[in-house]
Amino acid sequence: ETGVTQTPRHLVMGMTNKKSLKCEQHLGHNAMYWYKQSAKKPLELMFVYNFKEQTENNSVPSRFSPECPNSSHLFLHLHTLQPEDSALYLCASSQAGAENTGELFFGEGSRLTVL
Amino acid sequence: SQQGEEDPQALSIQEGENATMNCSYKTSINNLQWYRQNSGRGLVHLILIRSNEREKHSGRLRVTLDTSKKSSSLLITASRAADTASYFCATDSPSGGSYIPTFGRGTSLIVHP
């Protein structure tokens, strides 16, 4: 139990569907992240939110839409996805700031399959 | 932003042997972290070493950092089957006053009982 909970753990969707991934952290952290993990590729940083403000968007296609309503919750809204978007999506949190080390606490991931 | 590159990509050893994984990076860092990931699960933080440190220990883990060579190594001593996992190094990239860990492809370690 890392204090970061992701739901659902598994999701299968068609290319025309709209779905959302949810992440909740109980650690009192002020930064939350979405990473994408595909087979044989490095972990890809998608989005970063510091104090609910998006500070990083690594050229992610608009079919992925993040939402951070407060510092404890993070969503990834999915629509019109492609089969190559199938991957493990990992949420993480940290206590951001110049005095902090950047240690990340990860959830267990949401395994997404796009048919 | 830079990312660390782990080497080897895959490592297969017998229980009781030591496992050594290496990480190389390109630009200066604030700190370097090692994470572990069991298959299909999230990553778990193992150890952090700061740029002004050369060696750090945590249980059966030993991490070294050579900033002149821009490399780090993770040594797992007396390995166990339960150590089977993927291991990632993460180097930090400054962003908005914080540092964001950036990961490589990882080393897949298999420890045979």
Side-chain angles (χ1 to χ4, degrees):
Chain A
E1 179 61 51
T2 63
V4 181
T5 304
Q6 287 187 244
T7 55
R9 291 293 312 278
H10 299 273
L11 178 63
V12 179
M13 60 186 289
M15 290 191 284
T16 58
N17 290 159
K18 288 185 181 181
K19 298 285 185 183
S20 296
L21 306 181
K22 178 183 176 182
C23 178
E24 183 175 359
Q25 59 99 358
H26 309 275
L27 301 168
H29 289 161
N30 57 16
M32 296 188 77
Y33 311 74
W34 280 116
Y35 282 89
K36 176 184 177 182
Q37 187 176 37
S38 305
K40 309 297 183 187
K41 287 186 177 181
L43 209 61
E44 299 173 52
L45 178 66
M46 299 176 73
F47 301 105
V48 181
Y49 279 82
N50 275 331
F51 299 98
K52 302 185 297 178
E53 298 296 322
Q54 189 180 122
T55 58
E56 288 280 334
N57 177 342
N58 273 8
S59 304
V60 180
S62 59
R63 57 185 184 270
F64 294 92
S65 173
E67 179 190 359
C68 189
N70 54 61
S71 57
S72 298
H73 293 86
L74 184 64
F75 295 89
L76 188 62
H77 303 300
L78 317 168
H79 63 97
T80 326
L81 294 193
Q82 305 297 313
E84 60 264 29
D85 296 323
S86 298
L88 182 68
Y89 288 84
L90 291 162
C91 173
S93 71
S94 73
Q95 187 61 24
E99 298 302 316
N100 292 292
T101 61
E103 177 184 344
L104 296 177
F105 293 77
F106 282 85
E108 295 286 30
S110 293
R111 172 68 64 186
L112 173 65
T113 303
V114 182
L115 301 177
Chain B
S1 60
Q2 69 169 336
Q3 64 193 40
E5 287 295 334
E6 295 89 349
D7 170 64
Q9 290 188 19
L11 183 60
S12 180
I13 60 174
Q14 293 296 129
E15 211 166 28
E17 293 180 341
N18 295 342
T20 300
M21 289 157 269
N22 303 297
C23 172
S24 59
Y25 56 92
K26 292 185 172 62
T27 63
S28 61
I29 59 171
N30 188 53
N31 63 57
L32 186 144
Q33 304 179 50
W34 284 93
Y35 288 78
R36 166 198 168 122
Q37 182 182 33
N38 287 358
S39 181
R41 308 289 293 272
L43 280 72
V44 176
H45 183 264
L46 292 176
I47 197 166
L48 177 148
I49 187 164
R50 297 182 187 276
S51 58
N52 61 355
E53 297 176 313
R54 291 297 167 258
E55 188 171 314
K56 206 160 182 182
H57 297 256
S58 176
R60 293 183 295 112
L61 304 181
R62 173 178 168 247
V63 169
T64 62
L65 179 65
D66 187 334
T67 52
S68 66
K69 296 181 179 178
K70 293 186 171 56
S71 68
S72 173
S73 67
L74 170 66
L75 168 67
I76 303 175
T77 59
S79 64
R80 304 167 183 168
D83 294 328
T84 294
S86 292
Y87 293 82
F88 297 84
C89 69
T91 53
D92 58 346
S93 300
S95 174
S98 298
Y99 292 90
I100 298 176
T102 308
F103 296 83
R105 288 179 173 78
T107 292
S108 175
L109 172 67
I110 297 175
V111 181
H112 299 280

